[in-house]
Amino acid sequence: MGATRSYNSLTVFVLVLLFALNIANALSPPDAAKYPQELVTHGDVRIDNYYWLRDDTRTSPAVLSYLNAENDYAAATMADTQALQEQLYEEMKARIQEADVSAATRDTGYYYYTRTEEGQQYKLHCRRPVPASAGIASESDAVDASLAEEVLLDENQRKAAGNFNFYMVGSVETSPNNKLLAWTEDTSGNEKYTLYVKELGGNKQVGMPIPMTSGDLVWASDNSHLLYTVKDELDRPHKVLLHAVGANKTDTVVFEEADEAFYVSVGRSRSGDLIYIGSASAVTNETYWLPAYNPKAALTLIAPRQQDVEYNIHHHPGNMLDAAARAAQALEQQQQQQQQPQGWVVVQHRDPARPNGELRLAPLHDPTQQQVLLPHQADVMIEGVSLGSRWLVVSLRARAQQSLVAYPLPGDGSMPTQLGSGQAISFDEAAFELSGALTGDFDSEVLRLSYSSPTTPRSIYDQHLPSGRRLLKKSLAVLGGFSRELYLTQRLWATAPDGVAVPISLVFKRDGVKLDGSDPMLLRGYGAYGYPYEADFSRDDLSLIDRGWVVAVAHIRGGGEMGRRWYEDGKYMHKRNSFTDFIACAEHLIKLRYTSPSRLSIEGRSAGGLLMGAVTNMRPDLFNAVIMGVPFVDVLTTMLDASIPLTMTEWEEWGDPRRPEYYHYMKSYSPVDNVVAQKYPNILVTAGLNDPRVGYWEPAKLVAKLRDMKTDSNLLLFQCGMGAGHFRVTGRFARLRETAFEYAFLLKTAGLL
């Protein structure tokens, strides 16, 4: 007994020693090996010591070892926040109404909705029949819970059955006759989707799965054919294929795009009569259509592509038949082999002379005969159009605020010659996000609105356009005693170095801040692709705001908040405006004593991660902590390599560095190329190993170079999701774990553990 006891004690001692050594190793920052790679362009020489970190196969033992070491180091460094992370996770989770149902959409005899169940991470896609007594669609439509629910797709069951680490659904579409379901799913994070079809009711799979699609799909009206898109070796959606459902034969190529700067897409008009096939680069596009009831018909081109000209079309059949009558008419046309739907189209058009867009009308059979319906405005951008049988709804944006206008159409379905004043729809908070579209069948007169602000949870309204009646259908549940009156939203304007006014949206708890410079702040930004960073509600941000934080968004140039010019003034050879705008916003907030450099944290993801890397290099003294999510930081090397997915189409966003002027300009801000020996803020960088948009090696290289060159002892952490892509994890609770880690990092670096 004594010998055994002695042996066990020795074993325990050795295990404890090994554990201590492992912790010690984990607490030491990983030291990436240097293998200098000389990169020469236009006679300019760059030395990349970490070029070896790029492994397209994602299997290199050396690379995986380094990434795992970084993950271990991040976990060990944040070990003292484990209790805080758990607290943050539990309080964020406690705000979620776990068993919840979305606002239902009425379409083709059913109410469609999604719901979540207690403890489940993913959605269930469901429907219930519309009662025969329901009458025409109105704002007061409601699901009859006494009628049987049909679960179309259970994402939880699909993920569990495949034992996937990652799961994301792309499209979910029922066939026009409501008997079949088609959907696409990504199970690795690389955004290559598999397409499935099954019978509804019997739940039997129809045909074989179709792998490697882009996620888009659309049903033809014959219920027997699907159109979908596939990717090439550079992850570019480049073909549209026609699939005969259940048939064991090769799918037919309907359209193939040869230009590697263009991506293809497929969709269907709200009228149901047309299938659209689009091909688009970053600033140019063209659109084809074919009859939805005859998917084997020849394509018809609306207008050929012209550089820097974009357009979208919206079809009206030119009559006032209801959905059932139009379907019968389409069937008759199919039987008579008539391949030409009738009616007219609304064309949303943009070109350099009309940067904010204008609306035009044209007969479908001759779309070149266009007349202006809503002319271009220099200070108002047309963001979108929703067309129904009786109404045209236009989404607008001016001075970083959104609104909608609903216009009645001629009662006989004919093409209008002019628009009246319309119904203007807006809200009166200082900053908010608003979108809207006609919902349900084409002849519906119900406008669905989605509204949110930094203090108002996402709210879904249905507005009956003829009467103006509006009804709240769904508001995001925020459990735990949330009251919007406790919080305040503000809109401020900073002045950029060139005198341009830059909007800032912010939110804080009314009695939770001092506004004397001592309050911690999280400032976010994006500023690329013309995408606006909306001022909306975040349930998770309450975990910071309720702890006395101010949360703000800088609506910088490069985004779409202030119209097309706002975007164009933050791209190409004007990209540095995005960075100086953000810095100006930070300085303005500090000047007004909303925060101070020692209390200011910043965050941006993807192209917003580029923003974070650039401003951190430019003004590291201005920030205490930085979160760079899946950041695009090796701009120059990536944009010079056409073998990397997205590179060629991205030349119309950042410029083509094969041209010397773009090369040298991009080099002036590319974060990896501008790391220098200086003090940096606390930094957390994230990546996804399978990310097809931003290669994991970009943030890995930035972190390795920062470790080698920075002169401070502030935190530098790198987390790489080893089974994830650009969107990291997908489950609603798993996402909270990531958010809890990031918020714990912010609180730790702010001295607020």
Side-chain angles (χ1 to χ4, degrees):
M1 290 292 291
T4 302
R5 190 180 305 116
S6 173
Y7 177 79
N8 285 342
S9 298
L10 178 62
T11 301
V12 169
F13 173 76
V14 170
L15 290 173
V16 169
L17 179 61
L18 289 173
F19 180 72
L21 288 172
N22 285 335
I23 290 180
N25 289 334
L27 285 172
S28 299
D31 185 15
K34 294 181 180 179
Y35 300 104
Q37 175 83 27
E38 187 177 89
L39 305 172
V40 183
T41 310
H42 307 303
D44 182 59
V45 179
R46 293 180 298 136
I47 303 298
D48 187 343
N49 290 319
Y50 307 105
Y51 195 87
W52 66 274
L53 284 170
R54 175 182 171 182
D55 171 34
D56 291 345
T57 70
R58 274 81 169 170
T59 60
S60 165
V63 170
L64 295 177
S65 176
Y66 170 71
L67 297 177
N68 283 317
E70 286 285 3
N71 285 338
D72 291 344
Y73 173 66
T77 303
M78 292 289 287
D80 60 340
T81 70
Q82 280 296 331
L84 174 60
Q85 289 181 50
E86 191 63 27
Q87 179 185 351
L88 289 165
Y89 171 78
E90 291 296 339
E91 70 186 41
M92 288 187 288
K93 186 181 178 187
R95 295 191 195 102
I96 297 174
Q97 184 171 304
E98 294 192 28
D100 203 3
V101 183
S102 71
T105 298
R106 177 174 170 174
D107 193 22
T108 60
Y110 288 88
Y111 291 114
Y112 289 89
Y113 56 93
T114 62
R115 63 179 177 85
T116 51
E117 294 184 335
E118 192 85 18
Q120 294 291 327
Q121 296 248 42
Y122 297 88
K123 297 177 181 176
L124 288 83
H125 300 257
C126 308
R127 70 181 181 185
R128 294 180 195 264
V130 175
S133 59
I136 62 173
S138 73
E139 83 287 355
S140 59
D141 268 6
V143 175
D144 186 344
S146 69
L147 298 178
E149 178 186 77
E150 184 178 6
V151 176
L152 308 176
L153 180 68
D154 183 344
E155 296 183 12
N156 302 283
Q157 185 273 330
R158 293 290 303 174
K159 181 179 186 297
N163 195 28
F164 303 122
N165 292 323
F166 181 96
Y167 186 81
M168 183 167 64
V169 167
S171 300
V172 181
E173 298 289 341
T174 53
S175 59
N177 65 3
N178 293 309
K179 295 181 179 180
L180 299 171
L181 182 79
W183 77 97
T184 58
E185 57 186 41
D186 170 14
T187 58
S188 68
N190 64 4
E191 298 179 48
K192 293 182 175 69
Y193 294 82
T194 300
L195 189 157
Y196 297 87
V197 180
K198 72 174 184 178
E199 295 177 353
L200 292 174
N203 215 29
K204 177 184 176 183
Q205 183 172 305
V206 179
M208 297 298 294
I210 303 173
M212 306 297 286
T213 81
S214 306
D216 290 347
L217 67 90
V218 65
W219 281 98
S221 295
D222 64 4
N223 303 292
S224 300
H225 289 88
L226 282 168
L227 290 92
Y228 64 95
T229 54
V230 296
K231 295 184 175 183
D232 63 12
E233 64 278 1
L234 292 180
D235 275 348
R236 177 181 68 100
H238 72 127
K239 287 183 184 179
V240 176
L241 279 78
L242 178 65
H243 173 66
V245 176
N248 185 21
K249 61 180 181 179
T250 303
D251 293 345
T252 305
V253 176
V254 176
F255 179 82
E256 181 172 4
E257 176 56 68
D259 190 329
E260 293 180 325
F262 281 70
Y263 286 21
V264 302
S265 61
V266 63
R268 184 168 170 150
S269 65
R270 281 201 75 243
S271 69
D273 293 356
L274 307 184
I275 291 174
Y276 299 137
I277 293 175
S279 185
S281 71
V283 297
T284 305
N285 82 301
E286 64 183 5
T287 301
Y288 299 80
W289 65 267
L290 55 80
Y293 54 79
N294 186 6
K296 298 180 182 180
L299 296 176
T300 300
L301 177 63
I302 291 290
R305 67 187 68 173
Q306 292 179 264
Q307 181 62 30
D308 206 18
V309 174
E310 296 176 288
Y311 65 89
N312 295 310
I313 66 167
H314 307 268
H315 174 248
H316 194 292
N319 57 51
M320 300 303 288
L321 299 176
D322 63 20
R326 280 199 311 277
Q329 183 186 71
L331 179 60
E332 181 182 354
Q333 289 173 329
Q334 180 185 24
Q335 292 170 344
Q336 296 175 1
Q337 296 185 339
Q338 296 176 5
Q339 298 182 1
Q340 184 73 3
Q342 303 301 308
W344 45 272
V345 291
V346 175
V347 182
Q348 182 183 342
H349 175 96
R350 182 205 64 80
D351 62 35
R354 290 161 282 263
N356 283 334
E358 67 182 15
L359 295 188
R360 301 173 174 181
L361 289 177
L364 179 63
H365 69 271
D366 189 3
T368 62
Q369 300 300 310
Q370 297 183 5
Q371 61 187 52
V372 175
L373 183 65
L374 191 63
H376 175 265
Q377 300 179 73
D379 56 352
V380 181
M381 183 169 70
I382 298 174
E383 286 198 306
V385 169
S386 180
L387 180 65
S389 178
R390 296 170 175 84
W391 292 88
L392 170 67
V393 179
V394 184
S395 300
L396 305 170
R397 188 185 292 265
R399 286 188 59 79
Q401 276 317 33
Q402 295 165 285
S403 62
L404 297 102
V405 182
Y407 298 97
L409 297 173
D412 60 358
S414 62
M415 190 165 62
T417 56
Q418 61 182 9
L419 296 174
S421 57
Q423 294 183 31
I425 299 164
S426 187
F427 289 78
D428 59 3
E429 288 193 77
F432 58 82
E433 179 189 12
L434 173 66
S435 61
L438 293 161
T439 184
D441 297 326
F442 188 66
D443 52 357
S444 168
E445 297 187 276
V446 177
L447 174 64
R448 172 148 294 178
L449 301 171
S450 176
Y451 175 78
S452 174
S453 81
T455 58
T456 305
R458 175 74 54 197
S459 301
I460 306 299
Y461 297 89
D462 278 354
Q463 181 162 329
H464 184 245
L465 291 175
S467 66
R469 297 189 304 267
R470 183 187 299 174
L471 184 66
L472 178 65
K473 307 295 287 189
K474 174 72 180 178
S475 183
L476 177 73
V478 185
L479 306 184
F482 169 80
S483 173
R484 63 183 302 271
E485 287 74 22
L486 300 177
Y487 305 88
L488 180 64
T489 295
Q490 292 183 343
R491 168 63 55 80
L492 305 176
W493 296 83
T495 303
D498 59 358
V500 170
V502 183
I504 308 168
S505 302
L506 60 146
V507 61
F508 52 85
K509 199 168 186 179
R510 292 178 186 271
D511 62 355
V513 295
K514 302 182 182 67
L515 302 183
D516 60 359
S518 66
D519 298 310
M521 171 181 278
L522 177 60
L523 176 63
R524 296 183 170 115
Y526 188 74
Y529 303 107
Y531 294 159
Y533 200 133
E534 304 292 8
D536 57 4
F537 182 81
S538 170
R539 193 162 44 189
D540 299 340
D541 279 353
L542 293 175
S543 288
L544 293 177
I545 297 169
D546 287 347
R547 286 175 168 81
W549 287 64
V550 180
V551 175
V553 174
H555 302 287
I556 59 177
R557 279 175 284 185
E561 291 90 339
M562 298 274 283
R564 180 76 184 192
R565 292 294 187 199
W566 196 251
Y567 164 47
E568 293 178 349
D569 286 345
K571 66 179 294 192
Y572 289 147
M573 301 293 281
H574 305 293
K575 186 61 205 170
R576 291 181 67 89
N577 284 339
S578 300
F579 315 137
T580 53
D581 282 1
F582 190 88
I583 290 169
C585 289
E587 291 175 330
H588 187 66
L589 291 163
I590 292 167
K591 179 181 178 181
L592 295 182
R593 297 174 65 78
Y594 281 90
T595 190
S596 61
S598 64
R599 309 293 277 168
L600 177 57
S601 299
I602 60 176
E603 178 189 28
R605 298 179 182 273
S606 196
L610 160 62
L611 169 70
M612 296 298 106
V615 301
T616 301
N617 280 330
M618 293 167 69
R619 287 296 306 275
D621 60 302
L622 204 54
F623 316 112
N624 176 62
V626 184
I627 297 178
M628 304 182 196
V630 291
F632 174 45
V633 286
D634 196 11
V635 181
L636 204 51
T637 302
T638 293
M639 288 294 97
L640 283 164
D641 189 346
S643 72
I644 295 176
L646 304 181
T647 289
M648 280 181 281
T649 192
E650 294 286 297
W651 286 336
E652 290 189 331
E653 176 69 23
W654 314 101
D656 184 351
R658 296 175 303 176
R659 294 168 55 181
E661 65 272 25
Y662 281 115
Y663 174 88
H664 292 291
Y665 187 78
M666 293 165 74
K667 186 181 178 183
S668 76
Y669 67 77
S670 175
V672 164
D673 293 291
N674 286 278
V675 172
V676 296
Q678 64 179 348
K679 292 182 178 179
Y680 280 88
N682 300 285
I683 299 173
L684 169 62
V685 182
T686 68
L689 183 65
N690 298 326
D691 190 342
R693 301 183 184 219
V694 177
Y696 72 86
W697 54 86
E698 293 198 36
K701 288 164 66 173
L702 177 69
V703 169
K705 192 169 184 180
L706 281 168
R707 287 210 194 286
D708 182 54
M709 298 190 69
K710 74 189 190 83
T711 61
D712 59 86
S713 58
N714 289 329
L715 292 184
L716 174 58
L717 306 180
F718 180 39
Q719 270 195 334
C720 184
M722 304 304 284
H726 196 64
F727 303 104
R728 306 292 301 281
V729 295
T730 53
R732 57 176 176 158
F733 303 135
R735 283 177 176 157
L736 296 183
R737 293 286 184 191
E738 288 191 346
T739 303
F741 184 93
E742 292 172 359
Y743 286 3
F745 169 81
L746 294 176
L747 292 165
K748 177 184 175 79
T749 54
L752 298 173
L753 286 184

